[in-house]
Amino acid sequence: MGGRRLHGRGALFDTDPAGLAPRLVGLRPHAHRSTSYEHPGELPLVVLSGARGLGKSAVLGELRDAYKGHTPVALIDCEHTEFAAPPSGRPAEAWSPVSQALLVIAEQLAEPVTGAGRIQFPRLMSGLVAVAAGGWGDADSERIRREVQRILLLNESGSWVTGFAGRWAGRVAAKVVAAATGTGPLLSAAVEATLESLSDGFAGRRHQRASSWYRDYPNAGDNPQRGLILLSGHFRADGTSREHAERHLVRALLADLTDAYTGVLPRMKRLGRPLVLIDNAQTDPGPGLVEAVLRDRSEGVADQVAFVAAVRGEGRPALRNAVRRALPEVARGSDWAPDPGSASSRALLVSLPPLSPDDTLHIVDAVCSDLQVPPQLPHATHRLTGGNPLGIALIAESAAQNLPDASSLGELLTADLRVHPEHDGRPAYLELLDRLVPPDRLDELTVLAAAHDHDSACALADALLPEDFGPADVRALQTRLVREGLPEVPGRFVGDPFVRTLLLLRLHHRDTDHGQWRKAHETLVDHYADPADDPVRYRLHHELALGGTESAVEYLRDTFATLPTSTWLKSLRFIASAPYFHAHDADGRDFTGRDDRRAAVALGLTDADHEPPEGVDSALHLRIRRLLYAVWQLTDPLALPDQTVSQRLRFELEQLSNLRPAGNALLWRASRDWPVDALAGRTLHIPDDEEGEA
């Protein structure tokens, strides 16, 4: 494909054979060359779904670049401030996110493309003038002129000249302003002036049809002026009445586009379908636009516009019966067919998968092409991010800016990253969190990321968050994370391991003495203090995060011969998954330097200085201690796996297998699997207990 390459997204953009986008648009990307339609009749409204950072916005941006200038294209971001509130001076009763979106979309679609001139939008223009006129009761003539000229330019056939309204638009604006500021009824006068100018200014049948289009508005009585007045009244009424009016405005946009592609001559000039791209469609005006299109299509109101929207998560009520596919499944065909009785089945929900380890390798190599990259960095980056495209891209950029001074992933995340050359840098993990979690809940999530379930989250909230953030808020926040596409994982309040790691990193660096970090983990140590609790490993996990290893070694040593081997291995893996952001001294305090002593302990270099407790098997004690540190280092998502430590891990597990005949097979298999898993950036696999335990 031409243009910039989006790794792992070929199912959308490939040309030979054609991916999903060219099959829907009917054009090859970055070329004015036609390709066969997959759906020549009714086509699906494609919705790209996934959590933050999976590249939905990047895909929409690439689609715009691939087709801009070749077919009409519009891209809006529903989270942009222009859709949040009316412009200064315009009352809310005469404005909505949907009406604003339709204006912005039409302005972009109107631009000339190869072989064809501007598209005109007389139906939409008339409807938007009627909506705007509903708010002109006490407006001055200059505000009316400013608002109406922008709308009227949707029907201008000439080129857009910055700062000047088109000739026709200027004349009509003067008439509308005069009518609106006259002595008669404001709304009807403005509508009448608009329709008269539309009929008088164009002789073609297309514009004559457009000027009479609103005669079919419900209860218009075959009178287009009455239809527009009713539409304006419904819009001002808000609620379901406004939704009804907005749906007709969406229909007006699509009818104007259909007109532009009707007739022998226009069809010969215009190749492919117009393309409308809606980013963050979970936010207004996204739901209104998407539901209006789906509902009309389900009721037989046809159009030939390729819509591609992007939403966070998948649990949207309007998409309840959407046909669902993973991206690789649509590479050669979508196998989409709507249910006649369901509007939402007109949507094709396509989930964007994470990138592969190979994609990660190629991205890091491309960004760091002139640098000596540590060989384990790409695989460690994939392990940390889970294939999150945004995470991979920003970590690669941090490496390009900070190697070789910062080499571990932890150092690359805490190093300053300059996203824009003209701006000062800030820590990479903060740049990532700005884009990966809800910004209004960043402080709460920073604390709750250490939790494992609702109860432990409530304990943290009680200790570290404001008094008004209670159990109901904890549940609401966890529900929100799931709704936004983050996975639910038993034992983790924040299910996505990459996001959780970034949040814990922010917790650790929130104050210079790491006070909140320590209080959070001390709170959870107390929360899991009851010896009767089955998950004693949770307490040990948080003690280890504070630098206390003695209890973990004692527990793993004393249960080695009694717990089922698979359970013992799971406990070891979980306890050693404790976050490690600084080296700790013998008293559990943080060092200020970058020293990581885990490898030295795992390799036995500190055995001589460590005195096992009296009355225990000192050889077993030291072996368990070395093993704990080895797993802790090798599974740390912020550290590069150490080949020497992985070899020691294999040796220690192999020796333990000789000490426990009943669990010999499981321990021996773990000694083979775990070092390979660790170096490959995979979760340590627990062998199935097929042989049983004595």
Side-chain angles (χ1 to χ4, degrees), residues 333-401:
S334 63
D335 192 28
W336 171 84
D339 178 350
S342 170
S344 61
S345 72
R346 264 71 189 172
L348 174 62
L349 195 65
V350 179
S351 57
L352 293 183
L355 300 184
S356 70
D358 284 348
D359 293 326
T360 307
L361 175 65
H362 296 321
I363 292 171
V364 174
D365 284 348
V367 176
C368 304
S369 57
D370 299 327
L371 295 170
Q372 186 69 35
V373 176
Q376 291 291 340
L377 182 62
H379 279 298
T381 299
H382 188 266
R383 176 183 67 177
L384 168 65
T385 63
N388 181 287
L390 176 65
I392 295 167
L394 290 192
I395 290 172
E397 187 57 40
S398 181
Q401 295 181 23

Side-chain angles (χ1 to χ4, degrees), residues 16-53:
D16 190 17
L20 179 61
R23 297 197 311 269
L24 292 178
V25 178
L27 288 176
R28 296 189 177 198
H30 300 280
H32 197 60
R33 295 175 57 192
S34 62
T35 189
S36 299
Y37 292 122
E38 179 181 0
H39 301 286
E42 182 180 357
L43 71 167
L45 189 155
V46 175
V47 180
L48 305 176
S49 68
R52 298 173 190 256

Side-chain angles (χ1 to χ4, degrees), residues 653-670:
L653 285 169
E654 191 176 78
Q655 293 304 304
L656 283 177
S657 73
N658 292 328
L659 300 178
R660 179 136 188 225
N664 174 276
L666 295 182
L667 289 164
W668 188 88
R669 285 162 59 189

